[in-house]
């Protein structure tokens, strides 16, 4: 995620880091603007309020919880924002297969499954969203804001 944040800054895109207070001391600062929140629920709520899109890089249970909560809230029409996951080194390949299997078994609809896009790069995600959505995402025109999770000091890449 640190690379996404740096690329966003280089491209002139505003980045807001939203981090629970309990994790604030475990991360190194990479984001110019940071909002500290009380808990994970407030973090997700603030992410939905302040974000234009959601991009999940490889992560663990916390990342999965947040991305699935974001998709669930989209199903409930709480927001209508693009949601994507980066398949760096095929990291989410088996998750993608699992989600397709859930559709096949009838536990989620194909429309719900399509709320979550997978790509190998941020640029590919933007391209998918530009072609598949009514509104093309254009940072220069739309004032795109990316909300980035904190850098996980325990992540293994």
């Amino acid at each position: 995620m640190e690379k996404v944040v740096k690329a966003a800054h280089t491209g002139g895109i505003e980045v807001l880091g939203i981090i629970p207070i309990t994790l604030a001391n475990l991360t190194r600062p990479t984001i110019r603007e940071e909002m500290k929140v009380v808990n994970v629920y407030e973090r997700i709520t603030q992410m939905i309020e302040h974000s234009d899109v959601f991009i999940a890089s490889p992560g663990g249970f916390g990342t999965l919880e947040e991305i699935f909560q974001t998709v669930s809230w989209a199903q409930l029409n709480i927001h209508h924002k693009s949601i994507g996951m980066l398949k760096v080194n095929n990291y989410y390949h088996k998750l993608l297969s699992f989600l397709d299997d859930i559709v096949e078994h009838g536990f989620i609809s194909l429309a719900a499954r399509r709320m979550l896009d997978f790509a190998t790069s941020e640029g590919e995600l933007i391209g998918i969203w530009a072609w598949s959505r009514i509104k093309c995402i254009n940072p220069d025109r739309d004032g795109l804001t990316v909300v980035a999770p904190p850098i996980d000091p325990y992540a293994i890449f």
Side-chain angles (χ1 to χ4, degrees):
M1 189 48 82
E2 185 174 2
K3 288 181 181 181
V4 174
V5 170
K6 287 180 180 178
H9 281 302
T10 300
I13 296 173
E14 178 186 345
V15 177
L16 170 64
I18 301 175
I19 182 168
I21 293 169
T22 55
L23 296 177
N25 296 329
L26 298 176
T27 62
R28 60 184 188 271
T30 59
I31 300 169
R32 292 182 194 141
E33 185 179 352
E34 188 174 273
M35 175 190 296
K36 293 181 181 168
V37 295
V38 176
N39 55 41
V40 175
Y41 178 79
E42 184 182 357
R43 173 177 150 75
I44 293 171
T45 302
Q46 291 298 323
M47 285 173 52
I48 288 174
E49 183 177 325
H50 292 283
S51 296
D52 295 306
V53 299
F54 301 95
I55 300 174
S57 58
F61 288 129
T63 301
L64 293 172
E65 175 191 9
E66 289 175 348
I67 208 71
F68 287 136
Q69 178 111 25
T70 304
V71 173
S72 294
W73 287 14
Q75 280 185 281
L76 297 171
N77 291 314
I78 294 172
H79 72 87
H80 303 283
K81 299 173 183 184
S82 298
I83 308 164
M85 299 184 84
L86 295 176
K87 296 187 303 180
V88 177
N89 296 323
N90 288 318
Y91 184 79
Y92 287 120
H93 178 73
K94 290 182 180 179
L95 177 62
L96 176 57
S97 296
F98 176 67
L99 292 174
D100 291 340
D101 195 45
I102 293 172
V103 170
E104 189 175 307
H105 284 86
F107 288 103
I108 61 172
S109 68
L110 184 57
R113 162 59 194 88
R114 288 182 175 161
M115 290 179 173
L116 184 58
D117 296 306
F118 288 81
T120 57
S121 71
E122 303 84 6
E124 184 181 349
L125 274 176
I126 298 296
I128 289 168
W129 296 334
W131 285 104
S132 66
R133 305 292 192 265
I134 295 171
K135 179 182 174 192
C136 177
I137 298 169
N138 181 333
D140 295 327
R141 181 191 68 220
D142 298 333
L144 185 66
T145 301
V146 176
V147 174
I151 305 304
D152 182 351
Y154 303 107
I156 299 172
F157 294 100

